[in-house]
Amino acid sequence: MLTNQVAPDGETPAKVIGRIPSETAPRRTPSEDAASDTRSASEEGRASRLVRFAAGLGVKLGARLRALVPPLAGIGIFILLWAMAAPMVKTSLGALPGPVAVAAQGVALAEEWQAGQADRAAFYAAQSERNAGLEAAGRGGEVRDFRYAGSPSFIDQIFTSLFTVAFGFGLATVVAVPLGLVCGLSKGFNAAFNPLVQIFKPISPLAWLPIVTMVVSATMTRPDPALPKSFVISAVVVMLCSLWPTLINTAVGAASIDRDLLNVGRVLRLSPFARLRRLILPSALPYIFTGMRLSLGVGWMVLIAAEMLAQNPGLGKFVWDEFQNGSEQSLARIMFAVIVIGLIGFLLDRLMMALQALASRNHAK
């Protein structure tokens, strides 16, 4: 047999055959070995990057969760104390509502809004059907389009207040920023204008309201104005009370610009607009946004007071109407509205912080 034969050098044929290279496992070239090593290194690098990313993400999430613990604990303790103390406080409408009763009225207000939306949709659907029937009958001259006259819901009044404060805040910003820049860049103008700022800044919105009401009523004499008169009154009161923080902070920011920087602009013969855009605004921008944040908070507080006193549409009027209503649910509804007012103020402040960070990054680029 073949396996028992011995080669002259003492090796069996099986050993000789075992040393013959197999055709199914060819030897790789050096370039193929290098490519394989590169792929292995790249896969290892990718895996290590994924591990580092996951570890960093876990650290960030852990830090954020730890940062949420104190505020959540504070809110929980407040709700617990509120629930314990509410039954002990007696009012003319009964005991002070606790968190559960206030949350229940919030749900009821949301349901009222949904019912109002359904009624509005049904009204306009019926109106469209009626008008289509008149046109089909050849009575197109009798077609009329009426506006839904249902009472505004709580959510509708939230949007009304937000639109009013946005309009008044916009007016205040348009007035305050240019005046603040001029005051900060001109010592003479600042000396002339500063006494007026100090006089008008502490005036209460309740004092401005009758003056603004009379002036707006005297100037808006058209029977169908583009904007409702009550809306204009509220917006102007917001503007008069909220422009001062923006004006003062803008003036401080413009006055703090390095004079050498302005001298360089003169040497380079930059136009006034170029100096404003490239030198003044980037330096004063943090001060401007700080003032705008303060102004927005002041404007939100002022708006609620103005709506409550002048019976202008919005959250302030909702609170006053519930107080005048005097039903068993009125106090819980008022407390729910107060919480919503505070949450909206908080969200507006966060929004201004985000805009400030965005503007700072854009100017840094």
Side-chain angles (χ1 to χ4, degrees):
M1 296 177 63
L2 180 62
T3 54
N4 293 328
Q5 295 179 0
V6 179
D9 56 357
E11 293 183 338
T12 63
K15 292 183 179 180
V16 175
I17 294 173
R19 290 203 309 268
I20 297 175
S22 174
E23 295 181 359
T24 58
R27 299 182 63 182
R28 295 188 303 181
T29 63
S31 61
E32 290 175 340
D33 291 337
S36 177
D37 294 340
T38 302
R39 284 195 299 270
S40 300
S42 130
E43 291 174 357
E44 291 177 0
R46 190 180 300 110
S48 63
R49 285 195 298 271
L50 287 175
V51 171
R52 288 196 300 270
F53 174 77
L57 184 61
V59 171
K60 290 181 180 179
L61 288 176
R64 292 188 177 183
L65 289 176
R66 287 193 298 271
L68 287 175
V69 171
L72 291 178
I75 293 173
I77 293 172
F78 170 76
I79 293 176
L80 180 62
L81 294 176
W82 175 15
M84 294 172 58
M88 306 177 188
V89 180
K90 303 298 182 181
T91 69
S92 59
L93 300 177
L96 188 71
V100 176
V102 172
Q105 288 305 312
V107 173
L109 289 171
E111 292 174 350
E112 290 178 6
W113 174 76
Q114 291 178 347
Q117 293 297 105
D119 292 342
R120 182 193 299 267
F123 170 80
Y124 283 116
Q127 179 174 263
S128 299
E129 183 179 354
R130 173 182 175 275
N131 291 340
L134 290 174
E135 290 180 355
R139 299 161 57 188
E142 300 180 19
V143 171
R144 296 289 184 273
D145 289 326
F146 299 97
R147 294 183 61 183
Y148 180 71
S151 58
S153 65
F154 177 72
I155 296 179
D156 294 331
Q157 297 189 76
I158 288 177
F159 285 107
T160 300
S161 293
L162 287 173
F163 182 62
T164 306
V165 77
F167 192 82
F169 173 72
L171 291 177
T173 303
V174 169
V175 173
V177 171
L179 282 177
L181 291 174
V182 175
C183 289
L185 297 175
S186 173
K187 293 183 178 179
F189 189 86
N190 182 57
F193 198 71
N194 185 59
L196 297 176
V197 174
Q198 301 305 322
I199 291 172
F200 288 113
K201 180 167 65 71
I203 295 178
S204 168
L206 304 182
W208 281 118
L209 190 59
I211 299 174
V212 173
T213 301
M214 288 187 290
V215 172
V216 171
S217 299
T219 53
M220 296 182 65
T221 57
R222 294 177 55 186
D224 188 17
L227 295 174
K229 189 179 298 184
S230 60
F231 170 81
V232 175
I233 292 172
S234 299
V236 172
V237 171
V238 168
M239 181 198 72
L240 289 174
C241 295
S242 65
L243 64 88
W244 312 111
T246 301
L247 193 154
I248 293 171
N249 279 271
T250 302
V252 172
S256 64
I257 298 174
D258 191 355
R259 296 297 169 181
D260 293 337
L261 193 62
L262 296 178
N263 292 333
V264 169
R266 295 190 185 96
V267 171
L268 296 177
R269 296 184 179 181
L270 295 178
S271 64
F273 179 76
R275 286 201 301 269
L276 177 67
R277 184 173 61 87
R278 297 182 180 180
L279 304 178
I280 299 172
L281 281 180
S283 300
L285 197 63
Y287 295 90
I288 294 174
F289 269 99
T290 300
M292 290 172 65
R293 284 181 60 193
L294 296 173
S295 292
L296 187 57
V298 171
W300 184 242
M301 289 188 296
V302 166
L303 174 67
I304 301 302
E307 290 173 345
M308 187 178 298
L309 183 65
Q311 290 296 284
N312 297 327
L315 286 174
K317 186 177 184 300
F318 173 84
V319 171
W320 185 255
D321 289 344
E322 289 296 334
F323 175 73
Q324 294 293 325
N325 186 15
S327 66
E328 295 180 358
Q329 297 83 17
S330 293
L331 191 53
R333 291 183 172 224
I334 291 173
M335 295 180 69
F336 182 78
V338 168
I339 294 173
V340 170
I341 290 169
L343 288 175
I344 292 175
F346 171 77
L347 293 177
L348 291 176
D349 184 72
R350 298 297 100 177
L351 176 62
M352 287 303 302
M353 287 185 63
L355 291 177
Q356 180 177 0
L358 180 62
S360 300
R361 284 199 299 268
N362 291 338
H363 275 282
K365 293 178 182 179

